Amino acid sequence: MPTEPKMYLNGKIVDYADCKIHAFASVVKYGTGVFEGLRGYWNADAKQLYIFRLREHMERIRFGMKAMRYADVPSLEELERSIIEVSRANAIRATTHYRMIAYLDGDDELSTTGPTGIVVGAVVRGSSPRVENGMAAMISSYTRIADNAMPPRVKCTANYVNNRAAELEAKAGGYDGALMLTGEGKLSEASGACCFLVRNGRLITPDLSSDILESITRETVIELARTKLGLTVEERRIDRSEIAASDEMFACGSGWEVVPILSVGRIDVGDGKPGPVTRSIQQSYFDVVHGRTNAHANWLTPVW
Ligand code: PMP
């Protein structure tokens, strides 16, 4: 799955091969990068590429740079423009996953706060087969990082040592992916996605103090569930045992989209098949992101 040939590096479109930073940049040694993953959806009828919730993703990366004490934080407009420029430079007319990394470029000690670099690349990529088929998850033996240590709300590169450990452990154990628990043993999130349970027709998701990323897809799902599907949504602490008591479970994220979780630790969730509530959330989500409904047009930024 190659990155498209034209990338964005600090204000310029460059060839993939020239998109380089110094090996002694702070980001390499200390993991001081902040990143985003977002999608553009191709609508063949409208002949339009819609970037989904561009503004919210750029606001989140700016928040991350502030929380990481970056001396310079690029403007929203500059960041938004970089995504559009990469789309246009590669003449993208297909569903795409964009990766943006803000990084500290200085060769200095631990307390380096600049200069700020920005890199953007695009990978043309549709949905994973998991969106249709679902996945088997395990509860990781790795505890989710805590807000007062390495805040999961900040999407910084160093945090992902935790997610990576959980994901590789799950794969080594023959699972498709991992769910992590907080230090107090409550459900937190998946390695790259937030999660929801469905119980008696209600959606239940870990609250924002359950050491999760403030996921834009999570917020989207909550909004669609309430307004389009008329569902009650609870944001609260979730005991591990409540998973086995649930009828359905799914994970959601910009890259993952909406993925049914069919079992956890080889115990089926519900009957171990993608359930009707999950399917209706998927349908609403894909309608909105492709611009097949006018209801949330403000979430879409057209490229062409
Ligand atoms: N949690 C983690 C740990 C993630 O890496 C992601 C992906 N960004 C998510 C949740 C989902 O966030 P979003 O919906 O904003 O993509």
Side-chain angles (χ1 to χ4, degrees):
M1 236 173 289
T3 302
E4 290 294 294
K6 299 292 181 192
M7 296 185 68
Y8 175 100
L9 183 66
N10 299 328
K12 294 198 190 78
I13 295 292
V14 298
D15 288 335
Y16 181 90
D18 299 326
C19 194
K20 291 181 179 163
I21 64 166
H22 199 279
F24 257 23
S26 151
V27 64
V28 178
K29 187 174 177 196
Y30 295 117
T32 53
V34 185
F35 69 107
E36 276 302 323
L38 60 160
R39 277 183 181 268
Y41 285 90
W42 177 244
N43 181 321
D45 294 332
K47 296 192 173 39
Q48 187 54 270
L49 179 64
Y50 293 115
I51 301 175
F52 188 61
R53 304 201 72 172
L54 176 61
R55 169 120 319 185
E56 290 84 351
H57 281 279
M58 298 304 103
E59 280 170 348
R60 186 169 68 188
I61 199 167
R62 290 183 84 239
F63 153 71
M65 287 186 253
K66 177 181 175 186
M68 295 283 286
R69 299 181 191 269
Y70 278 40
D72 292 305
V73 176
S75 69
L76 261 182
E77 293 68 29
E78 186 178 339
L79 295 171
E80 289 183 4
R81 200 164 49 240
S82 69
I83 301 276
I84 305 277
E85 280 179 18
V86 167
S87 312
R88 291 188 178 153
N90 291 294
I92 294 178
R93 288 183 171 77
T95 293
T96 296
H97 190 242
Y98 299 94
R99 291 99 195 255
M100 170 181 277
I101 309 171
Y103 61 95
L104 290 177
D105 211 4
D107 169 7
D108 205 343
E109 300 306 328
L110 189 56
S111 55
T112 297
T113 58
T116 300
I118 300 288
V119 58
V120 181
V123 176
V124 170
R125 192 180 76 169
S127 297
S128 157
R130 284 184 192 181
V131 169
E132 185 54 33
N133 303 331
M135 65 181 277
M138 70 175 278
I139 301 275
S140 179
S141 69
Y142 289 93
T143 300
R144 184 71 179 128
I145 46 176
D147 186 69
N148 202 30
M150 300 182 75
R153 182 177 275 104
V154 178
K155 199 169 163 61
C156 81
T157 51
N159 280 356
Y160 281 72
V161 170
N162 180 237
N163 309 45
R164 181 174 182 274
E167 183 157 307
L168 288 178
E169 177 190 40
K171 290 200 166 138
Y175 295 89
D176 300 318
L179 302 172
M180 286 180 278
L181 303 181
T182 66
E184 40 164 9
K186 306 298 177 190
L187 181 62
S188 179
E189 60 183 340
S191 58
C194 281
C195 45
F196 284 80
L197 300 176
V198 183
R199 225 182 146 182
N200 302 322
R202 286 171 297 135
L203 287 192
I204 311 170
T205 191
D207 62 43
L208 293 176
S209 294
S210 292
D211 294 330
I212 63 170
L213 181 71
E214 288 192 0
S215 151
I216 293 160
T217 318
R218 174 186 177 280
E219 198 217 297
T220 303
V221 165
I222 291 173
E223 167 82 10
L224 295 178
R226 286 188 175 138
T227 60
K228 285 194 77 177
L229 304 172
L231 297 173
T232 301
V233 184
E234 294 174 18
E235 297 177 65
R236 61 168 169 82
R237 299 295 152 98
I238 297 178
D239 293 330
R240 172 182 187 158
S241 59
E242 200 170 355
I243 297 173
S246 295
D247 307 313
E248 301 176 35
M249 185 171 190
F250 62 87
C252 72
S254 305
W256 289 41
E257 301 172 311
V258 179
V259 175
I261 297 181
L262 306 183
S263 63
V264 178
R266 304 285 179 226
I267 301 177
D268 281 352
V269 182
D271 62 4
K273 300 194 185 81
V277 176
T278 304
R279 287 298 191 215
S280 56
I281 296 277
Q282 286 181 326
Q283 169 133 32
S284 303
Y285 186 74
F286 285 112
D287 280 349
V288 165
V289 295
H290 285 96
R292 294 196 286 251
T293 151
N294 289 329
H296 291 286
N298 58 324
W299 284 347
L300 308 179
T301 303
V303 169
W304 300 109

